[in-house]
């Protein structure tokens, strides 16, 4: 395997790990730009594929682990001391209540494809005291899938586009946002439909219809 020349790659890998870790707690961190940019640089032969993939997966997994442990050990109590912290805590609590009976592990895997979903799913898992080892496995699986998707977006944009490097990053990021928004809308629609179907069942359970044939 030919190693590309230049110092860029040795700056890229540690910076990507750091930004993807931070993105777990601060979704505004520009980790998507770094990850998609890595795919674009791969298309131009400027980075090493295994190292890009390892940096993204490691950053995602470590960020999940850190956020999970913080919420499992009661950081929300500390957050409630501050107005901005209370807003974060309410948002996480709302995400947890919306999760309903859906699989927590499936949410840890899939929610990272939705803007802001990774933070909500991981924090909710910590609040719900999800078993540690299964959470780690779900996080690792989700991190690997997310890394494949995001790096693949950047690589595809770099291969098929004739635009400059920064335009390819914006194209890949835009596609990722659109796909994530569509996933979020589908999930929201399915939850609303499930709630509507469940409503008559709840009403009949509270006010059972009398059996007229028994009279």
């Amino acid at each position: 395997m030919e190693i590309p020349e230049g110092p860029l790659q040795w700056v890229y890998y540690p910076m990507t790990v750091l930004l993807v870790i931070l993105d777990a707690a601060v979704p505004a961190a520009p980790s998507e730009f770094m990850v998609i940019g890595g795919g674009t640089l791969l298309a131009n032969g400027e980075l090493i594929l295994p190292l890009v993939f390892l940096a993204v997966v490691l950053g995602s997994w470590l960020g999940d682990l850190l956020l999970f442990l913080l919420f499992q050990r009661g950081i929300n109590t500390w957050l409630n001391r501050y107005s901005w912290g209370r807003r974060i805590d309410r948002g996480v609590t709302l995400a947890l209540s919306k999760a309903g009976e859906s699989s927590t592990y499936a949410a840890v895997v899939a929610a990272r494809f939705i803007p802001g979903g990774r933070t909500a799913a991981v924090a909710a898992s910590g609040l719900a005291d999800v078993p540690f080892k299964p959470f780690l496995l779900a996080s690792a699986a989700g991190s690997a899938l997310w890394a494949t998707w995001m790096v693949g977006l950047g690589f595809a944009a770099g291969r098929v586009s004739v635009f400059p490097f920064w335009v390819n990053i914006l194209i890949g990021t835009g596609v990722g946002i659109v796909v994530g928004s569509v996933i979020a809308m589908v999930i929201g629609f399915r939850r609303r439909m499930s709630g509507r179907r469940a409503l008559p069942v709840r009403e009949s359970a509270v006010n059972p219809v009398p059996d007229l044939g028994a009279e």
Side-chain angles (χ1 to χ4, degrees):
M1 179 176 59
E2 182 179 354
I3 299 178
E5 298 180 358
L8 174 63
Q9 58 176 315
W10 308 115
V11 176
Y12 172 85
Y13 305 127
M15 185 175 294
T16 297
V17 172
L18 178 60
L19 287 176
V20 178
I21 288 174
L22 292 176
D23 188 60
V26 186
S31 65
E32 285 84 359
F33 290 98
M34 289 295 294
V35 177
I36 292 173
T40 303
L41 290 171
L42 277 172
N44 296 328
E46 298 182 43
L47 293 175
I48 302 172
L49 175 58
L51 293 182
V52 172
F53 185 77
L54 179 62
V56 177
V57 172
L58 184 62
S60 179
W61 186 75
L62 289 177
D64 287 1
L65 174 61
L66 177 61
L67 188 64
F68 176 84
L69 291 176
L70 287 174
F71 274 89
Q72 187 186 54
R73 300 188 180 188
I75 192 177
N76 55 310
T77 302
W78 178 80
L79 288 174
N80 282 323
R81 298 178 184 177
Y82 308 96
S83 59
W84 59 269
R86 287 192 290 272
R87 287 195 295 270
I88 294 175
D89 188 42
R90 284 196 297 270
V92 172
T93 302
L94 180 61
L96 180 60
S97 67
K98 287 183 177 180
E101 298 178 356
S102 62
S103 171
T104 302
Y105 304 121
V108 170
V109 173
R112 68 192 65 241
F113 294 91
I114 301 171
R118 176 191 179 196
T119 302
V122 173
S125 297
L127 287 173
D129 202 20
V130 169
F132 187 61
K133 289 184 178 180
F135 171 81
L136 290 183
L137 293 175
S139 172
S143 297
L145 290 173
W146 183 75
T148 302
W149 165 243
M150 298 299 282
V151 173
L153 279 179
F155 186 85
R159 280 292 188 183
V160 304
S161 174
V162 296
F163 296 111
F165 169 76
W166 64 272
V167 176
N168 292 334
I169 295 178
L170 291 178
I171 292 173
T173 303
V175 172
I177 292 174
V178 170
V179 171
S181 300
V182 170
I183 293 173
M185 287 188 293
V186 170
I187 292 174
F189 176 77
R190 291 186 62 183
R191 284 176 178 168
R192 288 192 298 271
M193 294 302 295
S194 298
R196 291 175 182 175
R197 287 195 297 267
L199 183 59
V201 175
R202 294 193 189 99
E203 289 177 349
S204 61
V206 176
N207 300 306
V209 177
D211 187 357
L212 299 179
E215 293 182 357

